[in-house]
Amino acid sequence: MTTPAPVLLAHDDLGAGRPVLLVHGFPLSRRLWAPQVEELSSRWRVIAPDLRGHGASPAPGGTCTMTHHAADLIALLERAQTGPVALVGLSMGGYIAFELLRRRPDMVGALVLASTRAEADTDQGKERRRTLARMVTEAGVDAFVDEFLPGLLSETAARERPDLVAQVRQIMVETSPAGAAGSLLGMAERPANTRMLDSIGVPTLIVAGREDRAIPLEAAETMQRAIPGATLARLGGGHLLNLEHPAEFNRELVRFLHEHWT
Ligand code: MLT
């Protein structure tokens, strides 16, 4: 396995205790985790990076695979001398978590997979990513946000929570066009992670939203059946359920960390 050269990631490193790494989804930033950082940092050391091309982290350009993202995170954890972490990945953060686990299982002591899936994209899904990458490169992030944002929130939140819609939009437009295009092309290339599920040997919590419009609940149920001992929390809300329902999301996360990571 070759390892790409890592980039230095902008990140928060708050609190003390066993380390928890929060890996955001696409096209977002560590700001996604604000409700979780506030809750967890009184009991744990919480590390929340901006992935390359997102938030305040640099975008070197080109296709950015899950391997690039995982290499950046491994370098960050090594520099911060964390030792093994509880790895929390939401959506694309989950795809990256699988890659990190494959490369450095010694760095992962517990795993939380939120709003994510183990399958690769279908051919149609890959084509949509390439179309979106072209759109963001030619027309900028704003045009792309209109196309992508509806999938990130439940219909209920989209209808009744203009504050939340505006908050998510604001986080999205801070992603650079090169960063967004790079990760779109990288996600299209990602392998299926289904075959590694039954070899995951760390405590695992899966969290999924009943109203997720981007990734169906069945993807979470498939992971739960395959990962030994994994538990599945089905919550209300859509894809970004940690923002839509922070209290419920935090309750599941804190319960899991208390049990497996104190
Ligand atoms: C994400 O939230 O990271 C994306 O929706 C993931 C994806 O597009 O597959």
Side-chain angles (χ1 to χ4, degrees):
M1 274 194 278
T2 54
T3 304
V7 304
L8 281 177
L9 300 180
H11 65 282
D12 292 322
D13 187 343
L14 300 163
R18 295 187 89 180
V20 179
L21 176 67
L22 302 177
V23 186
H24 64 76
F26 171 88
L28 302 159
S29 76
R30 69 189 127 147
R31 292 178 58 200
L32 172 75
W33 296 116
Q36 286 68 50
V37 171
E38 190 183 336
E39 172 91 23
L40 298 184
S41 56
S42 60
R43 294 292 307 267
W44 289 273
R45 178 181 179 189
V46 181
I47 300 161
D50 286 341
L51 295 168
R52 71 164 71 186
H54 297 72
S57 287
T63 299
C64 178
T65 63
M66 303 307 102
T67 307
H68 288 93
H69 285 306
D72 296 342
L73 294 174
I74 290 165
L76 173 67
L77 296 181
E78 284 177 344
R79 271 196 315 279
Q81 300 188 322
T82 58
V85 296
L87 174 56
V88 182
L90 185 139
S91 199
M92 183 176 78
Y95 312 156
I96 298 165
F98 284 126
E99 189 62 30
L100 201 158
L101 193 57
R102 179 160 37 240
R103 290 179 167 257
R104 291 295 302 271
D106 58 303
M107 284 185 146
V108 183
L111 182 64
V112 179
L113 298 166
S115 305
T116 196
R117 66 181 348 147
E119 295 84 11
D121 287 347
T122 60
D123 287 346
Q124 195 186 9
K126 288 182 202 210
E127 199 41 50
R128 176 166 185 260
R129 302 244 195 239
R130 293 187 195 109
T131 305
L132 289 173
R134 272 195 303 277
M135 175 191 280
V136 78
T137 306
E138 286 162 13
V141 171
D142 279 336
F144 158 77
V145 163
D146 292 333
E147 175 77 22
F148 206 78
L149 198 154
L152 298 186
L153 295 172
S154 66
E155 277 178 25
T156 315
R159 203 174 46 243
E160 295 171 5
R161 302 276 312 273
D163 56 320
L164 192 58
V165 175
Q167 184 190 352
V168 173
R169 170 177 286 277
Q170 185 53 40
I171 299 176
M172 292 174 82
V173 296
E174 287 165 11
T175 309
S176 75
S183 282
L184 281 164
L185 297 173
M187 283 192 284
E189 279 186 18
R190 78 184 192 284
N193 292 303
T194 38
R195 287 172 60 183
M196 71 183 282
L197 296 178
D198 65 1
S199 65
I200 293 178
V202 294
T204 302
L205 169 69
I206 300 163
V207 191
R210 294 180 197 279
E211 296 179 79
D212 192 331
R213 293 193 279 175
I215 296 182
L217 189 58
E218 294 78 61
E221 292 167 346
T222 302
M223 292 192 294
Q224 190 213 359
R225 279 195 296 274
I227 301 174
T231 52
L232 169 58
R234 297 174 181 82
L235 304 183
H239 195 57
L240 304 185
L241 72 180
N242 68 310
L243 284 183
E244 275 191 36
H245 294 290
E248 289 86 340
F249 187 90
N250 287 356
R251 191 185 56 230
E252 297 299 334
L253 190 54
V254 167
R255 183 189 296 157
F256 174 78
L257 291 174
H258 269 306
E259 191 174 345
H260 298 287
W261 204 244
T262 46

